[in-house]
C-alpha cells in the first residue's frame, strides 16, 4: 500500500501537478529536481528504458569510428563495424571489468587498458594473453553485451531496453511533421560536451519555451524573437515542439534557393523539437543545432552540444563563414542559458521557493511534466 503524500513523495507530487488542466498549470514541484529518489526513478524509468541520442551518424562515418558515453550508470561504446553497421555495447571488459574505450576516436580493435584482452569491433573477444592454462576459459564464449542502436534521420540512438519500439516508429510523428527538412542530410560541423550546474530538466524546460528569449537573450537573439511570432501547439506522446517564424534578415535560417522541398512559411520556420526524454533540436531550413542531455546527479547535467548546415548550404561559398558567425552566436546564447538555468537551480533549492503558474508560451513544459509523470509513476506498476 502506498501511503506517501504529495508532500513527501516527489513522484506523487509530480503526478498531482500534472493532473491539473493546462489553464491552471504550475511549474513542476521542487523535489522533482532535487530528490535523489526521483533521480533514481528517472534513471530506471526513463534513461534505462527510452531512446537516448549519442550523437550524429556522420560523426561515426567509417569502420572503427567510436564514441563512448554513460547511460543510466552503464559505460557504453558505440562503434561502426567493418560491415558498416553501427553497434552499441557495454564498454566494460569481461575479464576484471575495467572500462575499455575512452572519449571518441577510430580504432581497429578494442584493447583493454588493464591486461590487453582484445575485442573485435563487434564485441567478440579476439585474443586474451596467458589464458591457455585456465581449462574453463573459452574465448568464443565471450562477447561484450550488446544494446539497441539505430540510426534515424542522421541521429545515433541507443537504448538499454531490448523491447523498445524501433526509433523510426517511436518518433514516426516527428518524421511526418518535418520530413521536408530532410534532416538526415544535415552535416555536423561541431560537437562538444559540457557539464552545467543545473538539473537536466531545468535545461530541457528552458529549451522548450521561447518565452525567455527576449529577456535572458536580450544581448544576442532576443531581438530576433517576438512573443507574438511563437506558436506552442499541444505536444504528442513522444515529443513536443514549437515554432518561430524568422524574418528575411537571417539568411541561414531561411531555405536556400536550391531547396525546393520546403514550401510557403516552412521556408522561414525554425522548429524547436524536444524529443523525449532529452534530445533537443533547433531545426531551421539552413542549419541546425542540438543538445542531448543526461543527468550527472541531480545538480548537474551532461550536455552533448552539436550542430551544422543543411546540405543545400554546404556548396554555398558564403555559408561556412556565416555558420562560423552563428556558432559564435550560439556559444554566447549557451552562456546566457547556462546563467539562467544555473540561477533556476540555485533558486529552487531554497525552502522559500515555490513553483508559479505557467504562461500559454510554456505549453511544451506542461506536456513534458505529463510525460515525466507517466514514465516515473508507471514504472513500478
Ligand atoms: S580487466 Fe580487461 S584485460 Fe583484465
Ligand atoms: Fe535560451
Amino acid at each position: 500500500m502506498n501511503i506517501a503524500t504529495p508532500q513527501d513523495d516527489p513522484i506523487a507530487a509530480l503526478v498531482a501537478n500534472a493532473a491539473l488542466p493546462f489553464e491552471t498549470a504550475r511549474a513542476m514541484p521542487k523535489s522533482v529536481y532535487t530528490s535523489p529518489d526521483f533521480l533514481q526513478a528517472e534513471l530506471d524509468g526513463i534513461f534505462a528504458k527510452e531512446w537516448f541520442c549519442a550523437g550524429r551518424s556522420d560523426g561515426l562515418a567509417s569502420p572503427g569510428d567510436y564514441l563512448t558515453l554513460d547511460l543510466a550508470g552503464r559505460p557504453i561504446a558505440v562503434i561502426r563495424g567493418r560491415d558498416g553497421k553501427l553497434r552499441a555495447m557495454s564498454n566494460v571488459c569481461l575479464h576484471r571489468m575495467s572500462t575499455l574505450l575512452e572519449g571518441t576516436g577510430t580504432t581497429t580493435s578494442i584493447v583493454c587498458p588493464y591486461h590487453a584482452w582484445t575485442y573485435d569491433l563487434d564485441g567478440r573477444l579476439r585474443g586474451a594473453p596467458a589464458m591457455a592454462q585456465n581449462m574453463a576459459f573459452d574465448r568464443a564464449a565471450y562477447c561484450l553485451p550488446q544494446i539497441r542502436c539505430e540510426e534515424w534521420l542522421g541521429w545515433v540512438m541507443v537504448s538499454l531496453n531490448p523491447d523498445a519500439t524501433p526509433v523510426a516508429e517511436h518518433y514516426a510523428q516527428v518524421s511526418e511533421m518535418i520530413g521536408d527538412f530532410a534532416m538526415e542530410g544535415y552535416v555536423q560541423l561541431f560537437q562538444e560536451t559540457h557539464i552545467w550546474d543545473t538539473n537536466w530538466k531545468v535545461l530541457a524546460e528552458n529549451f522548450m519555451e521561447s518565452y525567455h528569449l527576449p529577456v535572458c537573450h536580450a544581448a544576442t537573439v532576443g531581438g530576433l524573437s517576438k512573443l507574438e511570432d511563437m506558436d506552442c501547439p499541444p505536444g504528442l506522446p513522444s515529443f513536443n515542439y514549437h515554432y518561430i517564424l524568422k524574418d528575411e534578415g537571417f539568411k541561414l535560417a531561411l531555405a536556400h534557393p536550391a531547396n525546393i522541398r520546403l514550401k510557403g512559411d516552412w521556408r522561414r520556420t525554425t522548429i524547436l523539437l524536444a524529443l523525449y526524454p532529452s534530445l533537443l533540436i533547433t531545426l531551421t531550413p539552413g542549419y541546425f543545432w542540438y543538445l542531448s542531455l543526461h543527468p550527472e546527479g541531480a545538480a548537474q547535467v551532461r550536455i552533448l552540444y552539436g550542430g551544422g548546415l543543411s546540405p543545400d548550404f554546404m556548396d554555398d561559398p558564403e555559408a561556412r563563414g556565416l555558420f562560423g558567425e552563428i556558432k559564435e552566436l550560439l556559444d554566447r546564447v549557451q552562456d546566457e542559458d547556462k546563467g539562467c538555468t544555473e540561477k533556476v537551480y540555485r533558486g529552487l533549492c531554497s525552502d522559500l521557493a515555490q513553483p508559479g503558474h505557467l504562461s500559454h508560451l510554456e505549453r511544451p513544459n506542461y506536456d513534458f511534466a505529463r510525460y515525466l509523470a507517466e514514465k516515473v509513476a508507471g514504472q513500478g506498476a
Side-chain angles (χ1 to χ4, degrees), residues 181 186 246 252-254 269-271 282-288 310:
F181 279 83
Y186 280 46
K246 291 283 166 68
L252 272 193
L254 306 175
T269 296
T270 293
I271 182 161
T282 298
L283 182 61
T284 85
Y287 72 97
F288 78 124
S310 84

Side-chain angles (χ1 to χ4, degrees), residues 303-337:
I303 306 163
L304 185 67
Y305 164 42
L309 280 173
S310 84
D312 323 293
F313 277 99
M314 285 303 287
D315 297 329
D316 183 320
E318 251 192 334
R320 288 292 183 119
L322 285 175
F323 189 75
E325 288 168 24
I326 286 186
K327 171 65 168 57
E328 274 175 37
L329 181 68
L330 286 177
D331 287 350
R332 287 167 55 212
V333 170
Q334 299 304 313
D335 279 348
E336 291 168 337
D337 281 325

